[in-house]
Amino acid sequence: MIRNLFAGKVQLEGLSMNIFTEDDLDQIHCATLEVLERTGLFIGSKEAREILDGGGAVVDEKAKTVKFPPYLVEDSIRSAPSKVLLAGRNPKNDIVLESKRVGFTNFGEAVFVIDPYTGERRETTKKDVEESARLIDYLDQLDVYIKAAGSSDAPMETANLHNAEAWMPNTSKHGFMGGTNGYITKKIFEIAATIVGGKDKLRERPILSTVTCPISPLQLGEDTCEIIMESARAGIMVNVLSMAMAGGSSPVTLAGTLVIHNAEVLGGLVLNQLTSKGAPFMYGSSTTAMDLRFASAAVGCPECAMINAAVARWRVTISCRAGLQAGRLIPK
Amino acid sequence: MIRSSVVAGMDKVSGFGLKAFSQDELDLIHCASMDLLWHTGIYVESEKAVNILHGSGASVERRGDRTIVKIPPFLIEDCIRSAPSHIVLHGRDPRQDYTLEPMHFGFTLFGENTKVNDLLSGENRSCKKKDLEDAIRVADALDQIVIVTKCMGAQDKPSATQALHNFEAMVSNTGKHVAIGPFSAVNCRKIVEMGAACIGGIDEFQKRPFITFVVCPSSPLTLVNQCTEVIIESARLGIGICSIPMPLCGATSTCTLAGTLVSQNAEVLSSLVLTQLVAKGTPFIYGSCATIMDMKLGNAALGAPEYGLLSVGATRLAQYYKIPNWCGSGVSDSKLPDAQSAYEFAMNTTMSALAGGNIIFSCGSLESGLTFDFAKLIMDAEHAERLKIAVGGIDVTHEEIALNVLKEVGPGGEFLTHNHTLENMGRLSQSNLFDRTNREAWLEHTGGKDLTERAYETAKYLLEHHKPMELPIGAAEAMRGIIKEREAEIEIEDNR
C-alpha cells in the first residue's frame, strides 16, 4: 500500500494546558498597567526611586511610592531577554530557559529538616545546606538547585555567605539563592567569582541567580530593590518571586490576585531593566490562596496549582520548585 | 472610580483544559481505524453477531474455525452518528441523575478488583458479597463518586449467578446509577427484572433505566461470545452499553501509543456498530482502559503515566465522535494506600479530568486493579473534589479582577478584612481530610495520625452512619425470589 506525504499536517507536540485566551491575557495585562500607573508600588530604596525617576516613572518621595507609565513597563518587557543560559559549574549541567521548556528544581527555603538519620525534626544547619546541595546534585530530574535550607547555626547577618560557601562546592548545577541585601549580594557574587576565576568569567557563565520576594500587596522593600539592582549590574539573573496570598495579601478572587502578582513582578522588572538594559530577568511565582479557616498559606491547594499554571501561561520557561510553582523568564 | 464599559466580543475559555491532538491528528487516527476495520477486520465468535453485521453490509470471511468480519467505513460512520451524544445516567434516586456531556467530568470506582484490604484487620483477602455492599455504601456517601461501578465481585456466590448477587448488593446500597457487567444474556434479563422491582415496575424502569451494562472487547480486535451476547441483549432491552477494551501496549497492541489508540478505537467502534445495528440510538459510552505492559516484569502497569496519556487520547477520540466517554485512569500499582498510590492517582486523574473524562474509572483501586482499599477510596474522593476547583480555572472578568478593590487597598494594605473577601471567600477550596493546619494544630486534632489512618477511620464512620436510599417495599424480597428462581433453573439445567 502506498502512503504519500501529508500536506501541512498540523501537529501538537506533547500535552499542555488549555487556559486563557489572548483576550483574557490582554485584560489581565491592562488591569496590571492600570494598577502600576494609577496606584503604583511602594519602593523602599532611595537609590531605586532615583533610578526609576530617571527612567520616566513618577516618584512620590514622601510616600515612597512610584507610579509607572505603561510605555515604561512595556519597554522593559521588550528589553528583557526571552532566552537565558543558566550555566552550571560543570558545563554539562547548563540549562537553557526559553519559551515553553519545562524544568524542575527543589523547594526553598525550609527552616526545619527531618533528620534523615534520627527522624527528628530540627532547625537546619550549614551541614544540611551542604548535604542537600550534594543530594540535589545527584538527582538527574532536578535541573537547577535552589537553596533548600539555610545555615541557622551561622550569624543572621552573614548566614547567606555561609550558605553560598556551603552549596557552591557541593553542586555543579546552576544555583538560585536569596541575597539578604545589596551588600551581601555583592559579597556572594565575589565568592562565586572566586570559584569560576574572576568577575568577567562569572558574567560570561553565571553559575548562580538571585531570588527576591516583593511584599504583597504592591511593595518592593529596600533589600529587594538592592538585590534587583546589584544583580542587574553584575549580569546575574534575578528571579522576582511574588508570594501573594489570595484573601490575605491580595484579593480573594484569583484573577485579582494575578493582577497584584503581575504588578509586583513587572515593577521589579522595570527597576531591573532601568539599572541595566537587557539584564536577564525571571518571572517568579509562589502565589497561592490563604486557607481562611486556618489563616495559613495553603500551598497544597488546587488554587496554587491553578495560579501557577496561569502564571506559566504567560510563557513557561522553567518550572521552579518541584511540582508546585512555575516561573517564567519574561512576559511577551 | 474609572468607568468601565461593556466588552465587545471577547474570547473566553471557561475553566482549564488540556490541549492534546490537532484535528489532523484525530483524522489520522480515525482513518487508520477505518482501514483496520475494513481491510483487516475483527474476529467475532458468535454466529448471531456475525449475522447481524453481515446483514447490514459487513463482509464475512471464514478462516478455518474463525470468522473474520470486515466492517465498511460507511457503516461505522453511520453508527457513530446514530449513537446519542448526550446521555442521562439515571439514578434510582432522581437527585443522583448524572448527565454525560462534552468536557464534564466525574468519578467512579474501578472494577473489578478480586481482593480487598480488610477494613478491620488490614488483611489482603479475596472479596465477598459483603465487601461489595460495604464499598458501594461508602461510595454512595461520597459526593464525588457520580455513579457506582461493580468494584468487587461476590466471590462467595456461585459463578453462574454471581452477577445477580452483585447487582443485589449494589442496588440495595446506593441511589446512584449502577454500572455492572452481566456476563450473559439471561443475566441481563434477570438484572432488568430486579431493577424494575427496585423502582416500582418495568414501565417506571424504562423511563428511568438506572443501569448501564459494561462489556470488554478482547484485544487485539476480538469480540468474544460473552461480549456480543450482552451487547445484543442489552440493546434489545434498551439498556445503555459501556464498552471498555483493555489493550496492553507491547502485548495485545503495538508497543507504540498511537498504534494502541488505533486498535483500541477499532475495538470500541466494532462494539458500537453492533449496538447500533441491534437498536439504533442505544446509549453507548466510549470506554478506555489501555495501558502498557512493563516489559521488565511482564505486568500491566496501571500506575504508569502512559495509562493517563492513553486515557486522554481515548477521551479526545470520544469527543471527536461526540460520544460520551468512560476514562480509565488513577489505578495504582502499589499494594498499600501509600505515597506511590497517591502520586499515581493524582497524576493520571488530573490529566483525565483536564481532558474532560466524563466518568473517570479510578477510585479505590490498588495492585494494578486487583485490590480494593477503603482508605484509597476516601482519599481519591478528596482529590476528586480538589480537581473540581483546579479544572474550574480562573475566571478573567472585571468583577473577578476587582480593580477597584485592589486600588482601594493599595501598597502595603491587607485584604483579609475587606468586604470583597468576605463576600467571595466561600469559593476558595477547603480541605476536608487533607491537612492544612500548622504543626501544633495538626498534632492536637489528629494525634499525629497520617492521612491513610484518618481515611480508614472516615470509611468506618461512613459505614456505621450513612443510610443509602431505601428500596421500595417488597423489592428486596422480589430480588431474592428472582435469584432463587434462577438458581433453581440452573440446577435443572445442570441435572439434565
Side-chain angles (χ1 to χ4, degrees), chain B residues 295-371:
Chain B
M295 291 295 179
K296 267 198 295 189
L297 305 171
N299 291 346
L302 278 85
E306 285 90 345
Y307 188 36
L309 286 174
L310 287 164
S311 297
V312 168
T315 303
R316 269 284 170 274
L317 280 165
Q319 288 160 349
Y320 171 75
Y321 294 134
K322 295 194 172 58
I323 297 173
N325 71 78
W326 176 287
C327 184
S329 173
V331 176
S332 172
D333 296 323
S334 179
K335 315 299 174 280
L336 295 169
D338 58 2
Q340 181 189 340
S341 84
Y343 277 121
E344 289 174 341
F345 182 87
M347 177 170 65
N348 284 345
T349 56
T350 303
M351 280 200 266
S352 305
L354 286 168
N358 287 150
I359 300 176
I360 301 172
F361 182 41
S362 58
C363 296
S365 188
L366 295 172
E367 202 183 342
S368 315
L370 293 178
T371 292

Side-chain angles (χ1 to χ4, degrees), chain A residues 3 10-11 15-21 23 27 34 39 121 217 219 248 253 291 293 296 300-301 303 306, chain B residues 2 10-11 13 16-17 19-20 22 24-25 35 386 389 400 407 412-413 415-416 420 429 431 436 439:
Chain A
R3 291 185 203 275
V10 179
Q11 235 171 329
L15 292 183
S16 71
M17 296 269 285
N18 206 357
I19 58 177
F20 291 157
T21 60
D23 287 347
Q27 196 175 354
E34 194 175 322
T39 310
R121 175 175 172 267
Q219 305 175 87
T253 45
D291 192 307
R293 286 185 303 170
S296 59
C301 69
E303 284 89 349
M306 280 197 295
Chain B
I2 300 168
M10 179 173 161
D11 280 341
V13 281
F16 286 179
K19 238 174 3 187
S22 64
D24 287 350
E25 286 169 307
D35 187 330
R386 293 149 58 85
I389 300 270
E400 292 285 310
K407 288 177 175 173
F415 294 80
L416 199 53
H420 179 255
S429 71
S431 63
R436 287 180 182 175
R439 188 169 283 268

Side-chain angles (χ1 to χ4, degrees), chain A residues 250-302:
Chain A
S250 67
V252 70
T253 45
L254 301 184
T257 290
L258 280 179
V259 170
I260 288 265
H261 175 114
N262 199 28
E264 289 163 359
V265 177
L266 292 186
L269 172 67
V270 173
L271 176 59
N272 180 261
Q273 295 299 305
L274 288 180
T275 308
S276 173
K277 201 165 179 172
F281 182 89
M282 180 180 242
Y283 191 113
S285 162
S286 188
T287 288
T288 185
M290 185 164 173
D291 192 307
L292 295 164
R293 286 185 303 170
F294 307 125
S296 59
V299 290
C301 69

Side-chain angles (χ1 to χ4, degrees), chain A residues 214-254:
Chain A
I215 305 158
S216 298
L218 305 172
Q219 305 175 87
L220 298 181
E222 185 171 10
D223 295 339
T224 293
C225 292
E226 285 178 5
I227 294 167
I228 293 173
M229 293 183 292
E230 289 309 332
S231 302
R233 285 173 185 139
I236 299 284
M237 185 172 80
V238 61
N239 178 6
V240 175
L241 186 116
S242 180
M243 294 189 165
M245 260 198 295
S249 58
S250 67
V252 70
T253 45
L254 301 184

